[in-house]
Amino acid sequence: MLQLAALVGHDGRRPLKRAVATALLLCLTAGTAGADWTATVETETRLGVWLADWLNHIRIDQVVEPYLPGLVWMLPEEVAAQSGMKARLLEQLVHREHSPAVREVDAAGLQALVRSLPVTGRAVLERTDPRWLEANPAFDPLLRKGERLRLPERPRTVAVVWGDGRVCYREHVPSAHARDHVRGCDAAARPRWVWVVQPDGLVQRRGVAPWNEQAQDPPAPGAWIVVDDPRWPWAEPVLEQLARLLATQGPAGGAASPQMAPADVVGEALDVSGKGLIPVEKLTGPPQEFLGPRRGRLGRFFRAGGGTNPPRDLPLTASDWGVTGLLQTPTARMAPAGEAAVGMSRTRPYTHLNVNLQPLDWLEVSFRYTDVSNRLYGPAIAGDQSYKDKSIDFKLRLTKELDYLPQVAVGVRDVGGTGLFSGEYVVASKRTGNFDWSLGLGWGYLGARGNLGNPLSVFGDYFDSRPAAVVGSGSEFNLNTWFRGRTSLFGGVQYQTPWDKLILKLEYDGNDYQHEPKDNNQKQDWPVNLGMVYRYSPAIDLSLGWERGNTLNLGVNFHGRLDRLAMPKLSDPVQVPVRAEAPAHEPDWEALAHALEAQTGWRVLELRRAGSELIVRFERAEAVYWQAHLDRIAAVLHRDVPGRVLVFRIQSVDDGLALNEYLIDRQTWVEARTQYLPHSRRAEAVTERERVSGFLHPAESLLVSRAQAPLSGTLGLAYQQSLGGPDAFVLYQLTASGTGVWRPRPDTWLTGNAQVRLIDNYDRFKYTAPSKLPRVRTNIREYLTTSALTLPLLQLTHVGRLGRDQFYSVYGGLLESMYGGVGAEWLYRPWGSRVALGVDVNAV
């Protein structure tokens, strides 16, 4: 092993001088294959600056190539946590917790491997490029005295770790993925999941079987691949812990890699052609050479899994009805939680405008408007406007897909609409590589062919017949029709072509279109529908289909993850940069208050000094994302306030009530934004606590004091609309809106809102729908068109506190658009509880 032991230091501000190179000591041990440089930090310094100088000295003698992704940063405080992780993993292996099917001899092999892994204290780094680190100080860690670093030579291998403790080393090939290395080591392997541990310590769990294949990055040189294989049925938490322990070892194949027993396949791989073992040095060709004979062009186009194409995710696309599915039929597939889609499809005579949401991993919700182009509301109601129907769908996942079991879901269509297209279904989906198969049983509209009986009839004659939908009861749940009547099978297949943008679909439709609502039966020449989806971009799908054997389908779908959306706030002020140093002199406190107001949009009432704490009190500080506002406040305070102030206390006056405050630990907050911190050094910089009393500090601590503003207000535009009515699909109004608040005292205020009509089409509102309730909302035509000026809100409110956890409010006036009256509220809100209880009583 070649080691370079360095005792080097740095003053933390300027690069190391080359004269320090004389402190580097070379130690050479012959007869080994690996080469590592190790160094101990003598004085505090930044990793980026220190690495750049260290690499310059290493490259004085270009014998071997240092491997920056494999840099191992070893911290004493990480040792205890990793020792505990190793001990817990060994205990699980000894007792085979959650994995009783694993043979004892296999468990013993994995135990031996884990015991051979040293506790390194490695802390995972975000990046190791010294130039990038110097340009991004927030990701550049501060090295402390006594910490050690190891920089390995660039490895040539990837290590595959089996469930019985064996490790197979294969030569790294840039185009090879995890499945290629696994099958190259053992052609009989049937891996389901792998944990790829990249040399930088990043751990990724990825599916590699035909039923769960996922897009993934190829393993880098020195990566570890932990395999979930049915021959060693370890529980997934065990394998994940093993992968995280391997992440602390550094690159596979380096000096720290475990020594294999002679029976293990080290430096060799299986040749599935049957010619025996081939030395790893010879495995330099493309990985497909070791995965069996090549298929023809047609075979590669329709491959069911594995093969030579890079692994890909299962593409999820919308059906004509907006839910995840094929064309007319749903599948059991679910998008990740947070997915949302808006789309439109046209299959004569129906045009669907769909909104699809995935609030939970197991729940899909859809809302839809359907235009029936060859049917009218009726001349007496809406003239020549075509009929519009609205509906809501639900789909729930019952089981997840496994090796040999499909994913199963149950769903209801048109659950909260008029019931024109109501139906229920149970559907199963199973993936085989690029093919995703589905088979379901439909009731109602989805099973209108009715060529099968109802399997639920075994529970009674109740399920034999299905009552007709009561058209017009759009706000009711027609539970008495669910899963009743005759049924029909439906299903099909989706195929992901080698061209990632193109997806093909084929389905058998459970509807024969001879029982359409409003006597609108359609001719069906063929029960099989064909379609294709062109993924124009990651967020836009264009679809084309041929349905019923005689009808063209066109559609467009816009989709994306709501939890990943980001919108730049172009009107927000530029954030104050954060530096590690703090000022030494007192600031202009009035200027500081103005700077805080500019950054937050809140009005500063008071600034107070209390020893090593600075208290900032805002008037009605309101925000959806509090952390962003707290970061802006802390950045201004750290820039201007002397370093002897250690804690910032942020308070808000909310209607005269003292509720809570945020405490910002200055040093912890600054460290987290000026350097990269390993997990063992990360701490919570912001804490929230209850504030039940006012200030208890002497008057001389007051730095800035302002009275609360009695008057405030805003001007802007307001828009409202009504959708789906018989007079027009969209009735809208745009108004100029002004809102004002007068506060005679902090706990009492009068709020008013006035609107002046600018543009609207409510003069088209002619039809008055029947209603059994007293008419208020249905008089919106008269409310909006009688006068250009409306007063939706004019409310007087008073709030107070009843003890520590109880609050009240009383109010009266014009409470909202078209409603006036009086009311009161009692609220029980224990501090720190996730549950509150409130009661509202109103007379309107």
Side-chain angles (χ1 to χ4, degrees):
M1 179 174 61
L2 175 67
Q3 291 188 323
L4 176 65
L7 303 178
V8 295
H10 188 254
D11 62 3
R13 297 185 180 181
R14 296 185 301 274
L16 284 169
K17 298 180 180 179
R18 290 197 173 274
V20 182
T22 58
L24 300 179
L25 305 177
L26 282 173
C27 302
L28 179 62
T29 302
T32 58
D36 282 354
W37 293 269
T38 60
T40 302
V41 180
E42 283 296 307
T43 57
E44 193 173 90
T45 182
R46 288 278 187 167
L47 175 63
V49 175
W50 190 83
L51 254 184
D53 189 84
W54 193 27
L55 289 173
N56 287 336
H57 294 309
I58 288 175
R59 287 167 179 159
I60 293 173
D61 184 6
Q62 288 282 358
V63 178
V64 288
E65 179 185 1
Y67 190 48
L68 277 176
L71 177 69
V72 178
W73 178 29
M74 293 169 280
L75 306 180
E77 56 264 42
E78 293 283 342
V79 171
Q82 292 175 14
S83 297
M85 177 173 63
K86 180 177 178 179
R88 288 191 298 270
L89 177 57
L90 282 172
E91 183 178 1
Q92 289 180 323
L93 296 178
V94 170
H95 298 290
R96 287 176 285 172
E97 296 179 10
H98 313 296
S99 308
V102 178
R103 297 185 306 168
E104 187 174 350
V105 62
D106 295 333
L110 194 54
Q111 293 169 35
L113 172 64
V114 172
R115 289 194 180 97
S116 71
L117 300 175
V119 176
T120 63
R122 183 191 193 188
V124 176
L125 292 162
E126 293 283 340
R127 297 283 286 271
T128 54
D129 183 290
R131 294 182 180 85
W132 189 90
L133 290 173
E134 290 187 69
N136 297 271
F139 296 91
D140 193 1
L142 188 65
L143 305 181
R144 300 177 182 178
K145 182 178 179 180
E147 296 174 357
R148 298 175 63 244
L149 293 102
R150 186 175 74 239
L151 187 60
E153 179 189 0
R154 180 182 178 88
R156 297 186 300 111
T157 59
V158 170
V160 178
V161 182
W162 302 104
D164 61 351
R166 292 181 299 121
V167 179
C168 169
Y169 286 88
R170 278 179 53 85
E171 183 170 346
H172 175 262
V173 179
S175 58
H177 288 80
R179 69 180 181 206
D180 304 321
H181 291 295
V182 171
R183 295 175 186 171
C185 282
D186 187 348
R190 294 294 179 265
R192 297 171 294 193
W193 302 93
V194 296
W195 283 261
V196 179
V197 184
Q198 299 288 11
D200 61 1
L202 176 66
V203 179
Q204 296 175 313
R205 174 181 178 267
R206 292 293 183 264
V208 292
W211 61 273
N212 68 351
E213 183 181 83
Q214 295 176 298
Q216 54 199 265
D217 297 326
W224 302 88
I225 303 174
V226 179
V227 185
D228 176 18
D229 190 289
R231 293 174 292 181
W232 304 285
W234 290 107
E236 289 190 14
V238 173
L239 297 177
E240 181 172 353
Q241 286 188 61
L242 174 61
R244 298 201 175 277
L245 183 60
L246 290 171
T248 67
Q249 302 300 300
S257 295
Q259 299 299 317
M260 297 298 103
D264 294 320
V265 182
V266 183
E268 296 182 334
L270 292 177
D271 174 22
V272 300
S273 63
K275 298 178 181 179
L277 297 177
I278 295 180
V280 70
E281 288 76 10
K282 295 184 180 179
L283 303 183
T284 56
Q288 57 263 31
E289 293 184 12
F290 312 106
L291 297 177
R294 293 178 179 270
R295 300 182 178 94
R297 291 184 179 180
L298 190 62
R300 290 198 301 271
F301 189 82
F302 289 107
R303 74 178 182 90
T308 62
N309 291 339
R312 297 183 289 184
D313 292 326
L314 172 67
L316 300 177
T317 59
S319 69
D320 299 349
W321 299 80
V323 301
T324 304
L326 295 172
L327 290 99
Q328 286 289 324
T329 64
T331 64
R333 297 304 178 191
M334 296 276 184
E339 182 82 8
V342 177
M344 184 173 65
S345 70
R346 168 68 176 172
T347 309
R348 185 185 57 83
Y350 304 121
T351 301
H352 302 300
L353 179 61
N354 306 306
V355 177
N356 194 60
L357 299 173
Q358 188 81 39
L360 303 167
D361 286 326
W362 50 268
L363 174 64
E364 184 179 40
V365 182
S366 298
F367 177 80
R368 176 184 315 105
Y369 269 104
T370 298
D371 176 83
V372 186
S373 59
N374 61 349
R375 293 293 186 271
L376 304 178
Y377 270 107
I381 297 177
D384 59 354
Q385 186 189 173
S386 58
Y387 187 82
K388 305 294 190 301
D389 177 76
K390 62 182 177 181
S391 59
I392 299 175
D393 299 0
F394 293 96
K395 183 169 71 173
L396 289 83
R397 186 186 65 204
L398 300 181
T399 64
K400 291 184 178 181
E401 185 177 7
L402 298 174
D403 302 49
Y404 301 106
L405 296 178
Q407 183 164 304
V408 180
V410 61
V412 183
R413 178 181 292 176
D414 204 354
V415 64
T418 59
L420 289 183
F421 303 99
S422 63
E424 304 81 48
Y425 59 90
V426 177
V427 62
S429 296
K430 192 76 183 77
R431 180 187 180 191
T432 56
N434 288 324
F435 292 90
D436 192 35
W437 310 85
S438 66
L439 180 65
L441 185 67
W443 288 257
Y445 192 83
L446 287 121
R449 188 177 305 279
N451 55 355
L452 295 175
N454 191 338
L456 298 179
S457 296
V458 298
F459 298 106
D461 297 340
Y462 172 83
F463 293 99
D464 287 338
S465 60
R466 185 182 184 90
V470 182
V471 178
S473 58
S475 60
E476 299 180 5
F477 288 85
N478 299 317
L479 301 179
N480 64 322
T481 66
W482 285 14
F483 299 99
R484 295 180 62 181
R486 294 187 64 81
T487 66
S488 175
L489 289 175
F490 65 83
V493 61
Q494 171 185 286
Y495 170 62
Q496 168 69 73
T497 68
W499 186 27
D500 288 342
K501 290 180 175 290
L502 181 62
I503 301 159
L504 305 180
K505 298 181 177 184
L506 180 147
E507 72 175 1
Y508 173 78
D509 198 342
N511 187 1
D512 61 0
Y513 300 92
Q514 300 308 300
H515 309 84
E516 294 297 286
K518 292 188 171 292
D519 297 322
N520 197 10
N521 295 341
Q522 303 295 312
K523 182 181 178 182
Q524 185 186 58
D525 295 336
W526 199 28
V528 175
N529 302 326
L530 305 172
M532 59 186 293
V533 175
Y534 173 68
R535 188 142 282 178
Y536 177 77
S537 75
I540 302 175
D541 290 349
L542 305 176
S543 59
L544 175 68
W546 186 248
E547 302 183 9
R548 309 179 208 142
N550 53 33
T551 305
L552 186 68
N553 165 264
L554 296 172
V556 60
N557 197 54
F558 302 90
H559 56 92
R561 294 282 295 273
L562 295 181
D563 56 336
R564 295 180 179 177
L565 291 181
M567 176 63 69
K569 305 294 196 314
L570 300 179
S571 61
D572 282 359
V574 177
Q575 286 190 311
V576 174
V578 182
R579 302 180 184 277
E581 299 79 12
H585 304 290
E586 297 282 318
D588 181 334
W589 294 106
E590 279 291 344
L592 174 61
H594 287 297
L596 291 172
E597 292 173 339
Q599 285 289 319
T600 61
W602 301 334
R603 187 167 181 267
V604 175
L605 290 180
E606 289 182 345
L607 290 174
R608 289 176 179 259
R609 172 82 61 74
S612 61
E613 297 181 345
L614 181 73
I615 303 165
V616 185
R617 195 179 190 192
F618 290 95
E619 179 181 10
R620 292 187 60 80
E622 298 177 346
V624 176
Y625 302 105
W626 262 92
Q627 185 61 52
H629 283 73
L630 293 174
D631 287 340
R632 286 180 173 271
I633 294 169
V636 173
L637 296 179
H638 176 66
R639 180 194 64 183
D640 296 341
V641 176
R644 57 182 174 272
V645 174
L646 305 179
V647 176
F648 305 137
R649 293 171 54 185
I650 313 303
Q651 302 176 344
S652 170
V653 177
D654 298 310
D655 304 327
L657 301 175
L659 299 178
N660 63 334
E661 66 178 349
Y662 292 92
L663 276 68
I664 304 176
D665 184 284
R666 182 176 188 169
Q667 181 178 358
T668 303
W669 186 89
V670 171
E671 285 181 350
R673 283 151 186 83
T674 57
Q675 60 178 291
Y676 176 75
L677 297 174
H679 287 287
S680 58
R681 294 179 183 171
R682 294 178 187 177
E684 194 66 45
V686 181
T687 57
E688 183 183 8
R689 71 179 184 183
E690 186 177 13
R691 184 167 66 93
V692 295
S693 61
F695 293 109
L696 302 177
H697 308 290
E700 57 266 26
S701 67
L702 186 63
L703 302 172
V704 172
S705 179
R706 299 172 179 174
Q708 284 190 287
L711 291 174
S712 61
T714 59
L715 293 174
L717 297 176
Y719 174 80
Q720 62 177 322
Q721 65 184 20
S722 302
L723 294 177
D727 300 298
F729 182 67
V730 180
L731 294 171
Y732 65 90
Q733 184 179 74
L734 182 68
T735 60
S737 176
T739 300
V741 180
W742 173 56
R743 289 181 176 270
R745 46 186 287 177
D747 58 0
T748 305
W749 65 95
L750 178 68
T751 305
N753 174 250
Q755 296 183 0
V756 179
R757 184 175 64 201
L758 299 177
I759 304 173
D760 72 82
N761 67 342
Y762 272 91
D763 56 337
R764 299 178 59 181
F765 192 174
K766 306 294 184 184
Y767 176 64
T768 300
S771 176
K772 298 179 182 179
L773 298 174
R775 291 192 178 276
V776 179
R777 295 299 191 199
T778 51
N779 287 330
I780 189 172
R781 173 181 60 239
E782 292 83 354
Y783 183 80
L784 293 178
T785 60
T786 301
S787 172
L789 174 65
T790 57
L791 197 63
L793 177 65
L794 185 62
Q795 177 178 322
L796 181 65
T797 306
H798 171 75
V799 300
R801 191 167 195 159
L802 301 171
R804 176 179 176 180
D805 297 326
Q806 299 185 59
F807 306 85
Y808 73 90
S809 69
V810 291
Y811 48 86
L814 303 179
L815 306 181
E816 57 183 82
S817 178
M818 305 176 68
Y819 270 103
V822 295
E825 177 185 5
W826 168 81
L827 176 67
Y828 175 64
R829 176 185 178 271
W831 171 254
S833 173
R834 299 174 64 90
V835 179
L837 174 65
V839 177
D840 287 88
V841 179
N842 297 274
V844 296

